[in-house]
Amino acid sequence: MNVVSKVSEARKEIAAWKEFHQLSIGFVPTMGFLHEGHLELIKKARTENDKVVVSIFVNPAQFGPNEDYESYPRNLDRDLKLAQEAGADLVFTPDASEMYGPVPAVSLKASARTDVLCGKSRPGHFDGVVTVLTKLFNIIQPARAYFGKKDAQQAAVVKGLVDDLFFPIEIVPVETVREKDGLAKSSRNVYLTDTERQEAPKIYKSLLAGKNLFMEEKLSAEETKEYILSLLNEIQGAEVDYMEVLPYPELIPAAGQSKQMIAAAAVKFSGARLIDNIIWNLEEK
Ligand code: AMP
């Protein structure tokens, strides 16, 4: 496995793979502090492509002024070991000055699906996401890019990005990897206190309970939202940032044709804001 931090070095390696050997590339963009969720993406990419590229970049453009950019957990040595074990061929670890010049010549704005959930509670977040992914997609030129369903809104926004800008990249969604007690794995889980760690699995349990009542036709979408919200509000030491039940991937309340629904929540503990969701097929009902 090779590790590079300059765009020119990444391009050189990728050009050799693509031009001389016509190899396909699977790409896994991450912010590092890797856990089994990330490793699942890398392993899936490993099975579907000739080469696997992982990027590790805590992207300042997707953090708001009062968010956790500075304190976001980082451990490059450990990440490199895990990425290698999971089957990465190249890890791209640029610093912020490599990815962003002093003044941007263009700016990208995510305009669909961003007025709800994390788009609403983190203004500008998805603009930062689509900007950095456009840069990374142009550097890596993958055939496929892998995204976790844990960040379901991100996966939907990124699909919009590649469709709108005609990137010849298949977006591959990957199931959320959870701890045994149901808590979605997240780099930010290390910032939970012991008591909060005991409470945090209730996020997923609440989503699941709501989904089940919806599936049994006991609750409407609006009632499901209220029911899950009431359960989330019982979690000790937590403040609910948002809770919504919406058609997926549209994320528009009145999207009538949708085949799937999502129940998605963001919950703030003292040192970490956690997100989670459940997506289900309406046809299963
Ligand atoms: P991050 O480093 O948090 O930006 O995440 C990088 C990628 O890993 C994103 O596509 C995430 O959706 C995905 N990811 C994060 N946590 C999980 C998880 N628990 N299960 C599956 N994918 C995940």
Side-chain angles (χ1 to χ4, degrees):
M1 185 182 83
N2 204 355
V3 183
V4 297
S5 58
K6 299 288 172 209
V7 173
S8 57
E9 296 167 325
R11 278 198 192 282
K12 200 168 152 204
E13 181 128 351
I14 286 159
W17 292 341
K18 291 188 78 145
E19 284 163 27
F20 300 120
H21 305 289
Q22 272 91 47
L23 300 180
S24 65
I25 295 171
F27 177 41
V28 181
T30 81
M31 298 204 299
F33 213 70
L34 302 185
H35 52 66
E36 281 165 34
H38 299 112
L39 302 182
E40 205 53 42
L41 272 57
I42 299 173
K43 286 178 194 160
K44 186 156 172 65
R46 176 75 281 156
T47 64
E48 296 179 349
N49 303 275
D50 299 316
K51 294 285 182 184
V52 175
V53 179
V54 176
S55 64
I56 297 178
F57 179 56
V58 184
N59 173 32
Q62 69 190 68
F63 287 79
N66 298 315
E67 294 183 355
D68 57 349
Y69 174 68
E70 295 297 340
S71 62
Y72 194 83
R74 294 160 166 91
N75 187 340
L76 186 59
D77 288 346
R78 183 173 163 275
D79 286 349
L80 295 179
K81 193 168 166 286
L82 291 172
Q84 178 155 33
E85 283 167 9
D89 296 292
L90 175 67
V91 180
F92 180 47
T93 60
D95 63 24
S97 63
E98 184 73 6
M99 294 299 284
Y100 296 100
V103 183
V106 290
S107 72
L108 283 172
K109 187 161 171 47
S111 49
R113 304 182 185 89
T114 53
D115 56 349
V116 290
L117 310 178
C118 287
K120 188 173 173 192
S121 77
R122 303 180 71 187
H125 169 69
F126 286 115
D127 300 341
V129 169
V130 295
T131 299
V132 79
L133 286 175
T134 298
K135 289 168 183 267
L136 289 168
F137 287 165
N138 280 327
I139 298 163
I140 312 294
Q141 302 196 10
R144 297 175 196 84
Y146 296 80
F147 290 86
K149 288 193 191 175
K150 164 158 180 298
D151 300 276
Q153 183 174 22
Q154 170 171 273
V157 168
V158 173
K159 182 74 172 71
L161 169 71
V162 300
D163 288 349
D164 258 32
L165 299 190
F166 302 105
F167 281 105
I169 300 172
E170 182 190 347
I171 300 302
V172 184
V174 179
E175 286 305 325
T176 301
V177 178
R178 300 180 179 281
E179 303 287 353
K180 283 199 181 69
D181 58 16
L183 176 65
K185 296 209 180 224
S186 164
S187 305
R188 290 183 171 102
N189 289 352
V190 290
Y191 287 131
L192 297 173
T193 64
D194 290 348
T195 325
E196 289 171 344
R197 178 62 188 80
Q198 300 291 316
E199 288 291 296
K202 292 182 185 167
I203 302 171
Y204 180 60
K205 290 197 176 85
S206 306
L207 294 168
L208 206 53
K211 174 209 149 174
N212 289 340
L213 289 177
F214 180 94
M215 296 288 273
E216 291 162 18
E217 300 189 2
K218 293 191 174 132
L219 298 179
S220 67
E222 188 56 34
E223 288 163 346
T224 306
K225 170 184 162 168
E226 293 307 323
Y227 175 67
I228 297 174
L229 195 54
S230 71
L231 297 179
L232 294 176
N233 280 329
E234 284 169 20
I235 301 178
Q236 295 296 309
E239 185 196 329
V240 180
D241 183 10
Y242 64 70
M243 165 62 226
E244 296 289 345
V245 176
L246 293 165
Y248 186 82
E250 297 82 359
L251 302 179
I252 298 167
Q257 303 301 310
S258 187
K259 295 188 177 68
Q260 292 183 305
M261 295 290 281
I262 185 170
V267 174
K268 283 182 183 161
F269 289 95
S270 63
R273 174 183 173 279
L274 304 184
I275 62 170
D276 200 356
N277 69 77
I278 297 186
I279 298 169
W280 66 89
N281 286 329
L282 288 169
E283 282 144 9
E284 275 171 26
K285 252 174 78 164

